[in-house]
Amino acid sequence: MTGRMGFLVRTFTLSIVLLVGCSNGDAAKTASTDTGKEIVYATSKDINDMNPHFYSGSMPAQGLVYESLVENTEDGIKPLLAESWEVSDDGKVYKFHLRKNVTFHDGERFNAEAVKKNIEAVQSNASKHSWIKLSTKIVDCNVLDEYTVELVLSEPYYPTLVELSMTRPYVFISPKNFVNGGTKDGVSGFNGTGPYKLTEHKVDQYAVMEANEKYWGGVPKVKKITAKVLPAGETTFLALQKGEVNFVFTDDRGANSLDVEAMNQLVESGEYQIIRSQPMNTGIIVANSSKTESPVHETAVREAFWHSIDRETISKQIFEGTEQPAYTLFSSNVNYANVEVEKRGYDLEKAKKLLEEAGWGIGNAGEIRTKNGKPLAMKLYYDVNSSTQKTQAEFIQNTGKRIGIHLEIVGEESSSIANRRSTGDYDLLFNQTWGLAYDPQSTIAAFTSKSSYYHTTRGIAQADELYKKIEEVMVTTDEEHRKSLYTDILIIVHKEAVFIPITNGRVSILAPKNLQGISFKQTQFKLPFERMYFE
Amino acid sequence: MGSYILKRLLLSIPLVLIISFVTFAFIHLSPLDPAEVVLHSQGIPKITDELLAQTRTKLGMDQPFLTRYLNWVVSCLQLDFGDSYITGKPVWSMLGPALLHTGKLTLFSTFAIVVLSIVFGVVCALKAGKWVDKLVRGVSFFLTSMPSYWLAALLIWYFSVKLDLLPTSGMESFKSYILPVAVITISYAGIYFRIIRTSMLSNMNEDYVLYARACGLPEKKITMHILRNSLQVSISVLCMAIPIILGSTVVVENIFAWPGLGTLSVKSILSRDFPIIQAYVLVLAVAFILFNIVSDIINVALNPKLRDGL
């Protein structure tokens, strides 16, 4: 920088220094975080309404403040607020023995009465919770004594404990925070039983959660967690460099606020580490089998399309190895999903052969295939806010072109894509499975739901058989039978190629190098901050 | 003067009504069902027909279009813009703080723009064609043509990360204002100082300047006359700078994580939070109309001949 330009920069710097000098106070707030005690994580969205019985709040934040009766772990269901439980022989009554030394953040005692009030608060807003099948099965919640509570179902439902372990809605808030005797009209405070208390919230700026000094599971070592709203990736990167934030993780839509390259750069600086979870979900392309006027209706077309996707390159080039190629709807670490099916990989020759056998002919190379004068053209919808989906769509469009498949790619808002999925107005669209704790039961239950994958599955030859098996798998109490039903279900949808897997998504964490105890839960929606500590 | 102001205000009413109707109609032309948008944005994982019908009734979607529009206008007049689809909170409780935060940013930026524009405008006009004029115009051209997100990233890197003087983002203290205000000022001052410079130069060639010089008035006094006359022309342009900045802080707010109107509008547009989008458009339209009236009033006050035009 020479001469006048240098002079200008120096003048500008000097004026900023003078301005800074004139402003007094607040130095502590703008200084870098004390990485010895505090985690400040960047989030693209505000924590929103923390009512645990609603769905607009941030799940990682709700997971710190509220707890469920049981916890879903790698080794199965484990106690949390319930120390133990018994299930009746007919599978309809669940008796829970509650932990005795638990209080809500406002000092209220956690007991059977609080459980009953919370369960009833959830059930009184049933229409909002119908996605969670358990809400349609609970008929009663009885207090047996101060620390024993009984849940009565209308019929046996095997995922009961799994669904009770979810981040919402079956978690507990102090009944003192109820409004009009429940939570559906809102709550007056956010007092849970969790390891952290919400102590400050400035909408669209930050939320502070402080360690619950009376936590039944032992006081967390990290005393303060701040969720800082930082919508732009560049700012997050600079804030990480400066130390204003020191923790970043994949959000519940599988998006990172930092790209892989920026994360690697921070790791190379020696101050940060990246930790990735096991596969948590599968990124898929959903094919609308019930759209009879579209080529996607044909199994051979769907199968050929499956073969036209080069997952290895997508994994390496687009995800830089952070996501692994997926060949089945669920990864093998998902319960009941370790099923033997034919592996369909990237094979353009096989795809061509399948199309030719199905009557999709081609004139000259590079042309679109046709059948009875109809072109092999389909529309693939992607989320316009996801940079990786757009790149994947363009890449898939390009390989499809090489075998005579014409893909028109359309970017839309996520709500519009959800709308297409429920109305059936699509050929192909990007989606993802519900994730570890919810899979396979929630994703599979959605196969029959009109607002989810009904149009995806309705057009296949064995649709009725599939729906019958899904209905059966949710109520059977026989473990072996359940296994065989899941196997059948997964084989049917694999054979019909209606859910086309791309890659397995993982949760990535970028954290200070001296932060230890970083682990994951059986869900991408929350992180066990209470187990972390600085060394 | 009073009747002029009253006339201008009355004439703006039909304009506001037209804008409100167009906003309302455009948003309702969207192919998406608002009830479905509400349920999706609330994160409800499964939407049943019963829930849809319930939500439609709650939103008043079962009523005819014109009834809905009239209800909306009437409640807007009472500053009730409805409830946000996403948070369920009254729109005003979300728009109000955002407007205040952006308002503060706009106020400081406008002040800085006015001061810098006048200083550089006058200096450049007085030194027209000299190196100072060329340098200031060159640098301002360079800075104005820089995308504001790039400029913002550079400033954050230099002042926050490298020199550790300022916070990278957020709205915590006075220090938080410095960089966003600097970015807005740099982006606009370069435009406005040219207007003052041009206006000064054209005034310098007026007969009254020649006459003043002939009468032997000191140069300083002449410059003050020129400046006063030049500013008259620039006032309306500078007045309009306020609503323009108010409505164009999206990039700056996004980069600096500033919880203002820009951030709120983008968030609402992406999540199809129609009540907030409607209120945002209406508030901005009213701001444009009001500042237009203010600039006209100032001009009329300075030049009473203009009153006859209405």
Side-chain angles (χ1 to χ4, degrees), chain B residues 253-274:
Chain B
E253 286 188 4
N254 199 41
I255 300 242
F256 288 100
W258 196 268
L261 273 187
T263 309
L264 183 70
S265 63
V266 169
K267 210 165 76 174
S268 312
I269 290 165
L270 287 178
S271 54
R272 306 282 212 274
D273 200 345
F274 295 154

Side-chain angles (χ1 to χ4, degrees), chain A residues 4-5 8-9 12-14 16-17 19-20 22-23 25-27 29-30 32 45-46 48-49 54-56 127-131 133 168 201 203-206 228-232 234-235 238-239 241-242 244 253 384-385 413-416 418-423 434 449-452, chain B residues 31-33 36-37 39-48 50-51 54 58 86-87 89 101 131 135 139 142 152-153 155-161 163-176 178-179 182 186 253-259 263-264 267 269-272:
Chain A
R4 285 162 193 167
M5 200 60 196
L8 278 173
V9 171
F12 192 60
T13 309
L14 185 67
I16 298 247
V17 171
L19 268 172
V20 174
C22 292
S23 72
D26 291 323
K29 276 188 177 174
T30 54
S32 303
K45 282 183 199 161
D46 186 59
N48 274 328
D49 183 5
F54 281 0
Y55 296 94
S56 56
S127 57
K128 285 219 166 141
H129 307 298
S130 62
W131 70 276
K133 277 260 187 298
R168 53 201 189 192
H201 179 203
V203 179
D204 285 337
Q205 296 183 55
Y206 60 87
K228 193 169 180 181
V229 183
L230 284 174
E234 301 82 19
T235 316
L238 292 166
Q241 275 193 326
K242 193 178 175 222
E244 277 179 3
R253 291 204 159 178
V384 77
N385 293 314
E413 290 296 328
S414 53
S415 54
S416 168
N419 192 43
R420 285 188 183 280
R421 196 182 62 176
S422 54
T423 54
W434 288 45
S449 159
K450 286 215 168 106
S451 64
S452 288
Chain B
L32 292 175
D33 177 355
E36 219 162 299
V37 172
L39 295 169
H40 278 305
S41 52
Q42 285 176 351
I44 309 287
K46 187 183 167 189
I47 296 161
T48 57
E50 184 202 348
L51 198 55
Q54 232 177 52
K58 203 175 151 197
I86 294 172
T87 61
K89 288 182 195 157
H101 296 152
W131 71 268
L135 179 75
V139 170
F142 172 70
L155 292 182
I156 297 175
W157 172 77
Y158 188 65
F159 290 103
S160 303
V161 181
L163 299 182
D164 199 15
L165 285 172
L166 300 167
T168 58
S169 55
M171 203 194 63
E172 285 160 1
S173 64
F174 173 73
K175 282 181 184 177
S176 309
I178 297 174
L179 289 184
I186 288 171
E253 286 188 4
N254 199 41
I255 300 242
F256 288 100
W258 196 268
T263 309
L264 183 70
K267 210 165 76 174
I269 290 165
L270 287 178
S271 54
R272 306 282 212 274

Side-chain angles (χ1 to χ4, degrees), chain A residues 312-350:
Chain A
E312 301 281 342
T313 307
I314 289 177
S315 159
K316 271 188 211 139
Q317 303 294 328
I318 300 173
F319 290 104
E320 298 201 29
T322 56
E323 298 209 352
Q324 294 307 306
Y327 297 94
T328 47
L329 177 56
F330 301 111
S331 54
S332 55
N333 60 332
V334 169
N335 286 336
Y336 309 106
N338 201 357
V339 174
E340 277 294 312
V341 283
E342 173 212 356
K343 185 180 169 183
R344 287 195 200 103
Y346 175 55
D347 190 342
L348 291 184
E349 287 312 311
K350 194 161 185 189

Side-chain angles (χ1 to χ4, degrees), chain A residues 419-437:
Chain A
N419 192 43
R420 285 188 183 280
R421 196 182 62 176
S422 54
T423 54
D425 183 16
Y426 67 97
D427 296 323
L428 300 157
L429 51 85
F430 276 94
N431 244 231
Q432 65 173 12
T433 58
W434 288 45
L436 222 48

